[in-house]
Amino acid sequence: MRALGYANAAFDLLKRSAIPPYPQFYELLYTYATGVNPSLNNRINAIFRSGISPSSDLAEALYNEFLKSDMNDRMSSVSERMHARIESVHEAIDAAMTTANAYSGSLQSAAGDLERDLGGPAMKALATRLLTETRRMQDTNRELERKLEASRDDITALQRDLDDVRRESMLDPLTKIANRKSFDEGLADAIAEARRDGTPLCLMLVDIDHFKSFNDTYGHQTGDQVLRLVAMTLKSNIKGKDLAARYGGEEFVAVLPSTDLKGAIIVAENIRKAIQAKELLKRSTNEKLGRITASFGVASFKPTDNATALIERADQCLYAAKHAGRNRVVSEAELIEIAEVSDKDVSAA
């Protein structure tokens, strides 16, 4: 529900600003709608206040400044290095083949000469020529071996770089836990496994209570510390194949494979208590900022579910937790009970 609201807000801004709905511009305004990037929001708000007419060029500049990752540049660098290394190996192989062909021709020529009755000087000259050709062949082979060895080492380093780039592309840069892309892939894999093996699966949505007010009061840097604190608390209280991710803004999510609803509620309660137990200090002044709380929605996977259906039920539970006063866990079992009570009240009336 919340994600759909962000999406609608982004499309509305695109339409009102007459900016083409290209993926990067949608990402820009979706990020603005979520409020996850305070610097971006401050800049766009200043542009709106100034009366500057939005344009594709302006949107492109903002995207490049705030959202464009260096991942593409790093991938291009790795690709260029790989291409250069392959070209070097190809050149060495071509040189070795050329030398080998020439050497083969020399051997054939020498074989023809040996069939004739050669005198001492001619035989000596032939031996000298073959020795020279053999040494040239050896030098070429050594150069090929050197380049192949260098290529092996460089390709190993390139593989490490590619692994690092991929790993970083799956992390939220602020909290260092999984990002939305990683969550989407992890949830799809978990659903496929639960459907295939018939094992339980639960999804937990977490939202920091009154985060916007906290952010406005103490500043974005302190707000960022809170986001990192919640992320680390969430990550440290799950285990095994569980996946903790930042869902957007002050929302987090946890995928809990092989966990039934009762177990997921226990995990959520442990995380809720751990967050509430931490007293916040402003690092620069040691000022006590009090405690933060979070609300939780927990839903369990059904065989007919896709990712969207499961997320929507967890979001409904989260909304119910917020509506019930925050700092609590609401599962879909409680939603069913509430609905049943409501139906009885209507029937009685």
Side-chain angles (χ1 to χ4, degrees), residues 70-176:
D70 66 348
M71 294 299 172
N72 290 338
D73 294 338
R74 292 176 63 186
M75 287 292 289
S76 296
S77 173
V78 171
S79 177
E80 289 171 5
R81 287 165 56 198
M82 183 73 79
H83 179 72
R85 177 53 62 192
I86 291 172
E87 283 294 313
S88 175
V89 171
H90 281 172
E91 290 173 3
I93 291 173
D94 289 342
M97 290 180 66
T98 300
T99 303
N101 289 334
Y103 187 62
S104 177
S106 297
L107 290 177
Q108 289 178 359
S109 175
D113 291 339
L114 288 172
E115 290 177 356
R116 300 195 305 271
D117 188 14
L118 297 176
M123 182 65 75
K124 183 178 180 180
L126 177 60
T128 301
R129 178 161 58 88
L130 286 176
L131 182 60
T132 301
E133 293 292 335
T134 300
R135 286 173 176 168
R136 182 180 294 119
M137 185 68 186
Q138 289 174 334
D139 290 342
T140 303
N141 285 340
R142 276 194 292 269
E143 178 64 12
L144 176 59
E145 289 175 3
R146 186 189 67 78
K147 289 193 174 182
L148 288 174
E149 184 69 22
S151 296
R152 187 184 68 179
D153 293 342
D154 201 23
I155 288 172
T156 299
L158 288 170
Q159 184 62 53
R160 285 197 299 267
D161 288 348
L162 284 172
D163 290 343
D164 288 343
V165 169
R166 171 166 173 74
R167 188 161 44 250
E168 289 179 26
S169 74
M170 304 299 280
L171 293 180
D172 174 63
L174 175 64
T175 61
K176 302 304 179 185

Side-chain angles (χ1 to χ4, degrees), residues 79 122 181 219 256-257:
S79 177
K181 176 184 177 183
L256 307 173

Side-chain angles (χ1 to χ4, degrees), residues 51-344:
I52 297 175
S53 299
S55 66
S56 296
D57 290 341
L58 179 57
E60 185 74 33
L62 289 171
Y63 177 82
N64 290 336
E65 180 179 354
F66 289 98
L67 296 183
K68 187 176 181 181
S69 169
D70 66 348
M71 294 299 172
N72 290 338
D73 294 338
R74 292 176 63 186
M75 287 292 289
S76 296
S77 173
V78 171
S79 177
E80 289 171 5
R81 287 165 56 198
M82 183 73 79
H83 179 72
R85 177 53 62 192
I86 291 172
E87 283 294 313
S88 175
V89 171
H90 281 172
E91 290 173 3
I93 291 173
D94 289 342
M97 290 180 66
T98 300
T99 303
N101 289 334
Y103 187 62
S104 177
S106 297
L107 290 177
Q108 289 178 359
S109 175
D113 291 339
L114 288 172
E115 290 177 356
R116 300 195 305 271
D117 188 14
L118 297 176
M123 182 65 75
K124 183 178 180 180
L126 177 60
T128 301
R129 178 161 58 88
L130 286 176
L131 182 60
T132 301
E133 293 292 335
T134 300
R135 286 173 176 168
R136 182 180 294 119
M137 185 68 186
Q138 289 174 334
D139 290 342
T140 303
N141 285 340
R142 276 194 292 269
E143 178 64 12
L144 176 59
E145 289 175 3
R146 186 189 67 78
K147 289 193 174 182
L148 288 174
E149 184 69 22
S151 296
R152 187 184 68 179
D153 293 342
D154 201 23
I155 288 172
T156 299
L158 288 170
Q159 184 62 53
R160 285 197 299 267
D161 288 348
L162 284 172
D163 290 343
D164 288 343
V165 169
R166 171 166 173 74
R167 188 161 44 250
E168 289 179 26
S169 74
M170 304 299 280
L171 293 180
D172 174 63
L174 175 64
T175 61
K176 302 304 179 185
I177 64 172
N179 60 15
R180 180 64 182 271
K181 176 184 177 183
S182 183
F183 161 69
D184 289 340
E185 293 184 6
L187 180 59
D189 290 343
I191 287 176
E193 179 181 322
R195 185 173 284 125
R196 182 186 68 242
D197 301 338
T199 52
L201 166 67
C202 283
L203 183 68
M204 176 198 308
L205 278 180
V206 186
D207 187 276
I208 303 174
D209 297 329
H210 304 297
F211 180 75
K212 186 178 185 304
S213 174
F214 185 93
N215 219 22
D216 292 342
T217 302
Y218 298 109
H220 296 302
Q221 287 188 339
T222 303
D224 288 347
Q225 291 178 23
V226 170
L227 292 172
R228 285 191 285 265
L229 171 67
V230 172
M232 289 303 100
T233 304
L234 178 61
K235 186 175 181 179
S236 63
N237 279 274
I238 61 176
K239 61 185 187 318
K241 295 188 293 184
D242 298 347
L243 174 68
R246 188 177 181 192
Y247 193 63
E250 66 272 24
E251 276 192 310
F252 296 85
V253 64
V255 181
L256 307 173
S258 303
T259 304
D260 60 18
L261 188 60
K262 183 177 179 181
I265 293 170
I266 293 172
V267 173
E269 277 292 347
N270 289 340
I271 296 171
R272 184 190 68 79
K273 292 174 182 176
I275 292 173
Q276 185 180 14
K278 299 181 185 299
E279 187 169 8
L280 300 174
L281 292 176
K282 193 169 185 178
R283 291 180 179 175
S284 58
T285 62
N286 283 332
E287 175 189 359
K288 291 186 177 181
L289 306 181
R291 302 177 190 276
I292 56 168
T293 62
S295 300
F296 294 74
V298 182
S300 61
F301 173 74
K302 299 175 181 177
T304 56
D305 277 343
N306 56 20
T308 301
L310 182 57
I311 292 170
E312 284 181 352
R313 285 207 310 283
D315 198 30
Q316 290 171 1
C317 295
L318 176 61
Y319 178 80
K322 290 284 189 182
H323 188 68
R326 297 179 171 85
N327 188 26
R328 65 191 62 215
V329 175
V330 171
S331 73
E332 61 180 320
E334 293 174 76
L335 287 185
I336 293 172
E337 291 175 3
I338 292 171
E340 289 175 349
V341 170
S342 298
D343 289 342
K344 289 179 181 178

Side-chain angles (χ1 to χ4, degrees), residues 12-76:
D12 184 57
L13 285 169
L14 285 170
K15 184 177 180 181
R16 286 195 285 115
S17 303
I19 296 174
Y22 300 150
Q24 67 269 32
F25 298 157
Y26 169 75
E27 181 185 358
L28 177 75
L29 293 177
Y30 184 93
T31 304
Y32 171 76
T34 65
V36 68
N37 190 326
S39 299
L40 170 64
N41 281 46
N42 290 339
R43 178 70 63 81
I44 291 180
N45 290 338
I47 290 171
F48 286 153
R49 287 194 298 269
S50 69
I52 297 175
S53 299
S55 66
S56 296
D57 290 341
L58 179 57
E60 185 74 33
L62 289 171
Y63 177 82
N64 290 336
E65 180 179 354
F66 289 98
L67 296 183
K68 187 176 181 181
S69 169
D70 66 348
M71 294 299 172
N72 290 338
D73 294 338
R74 292 176 63 186
M75 287 292 289
S76 296

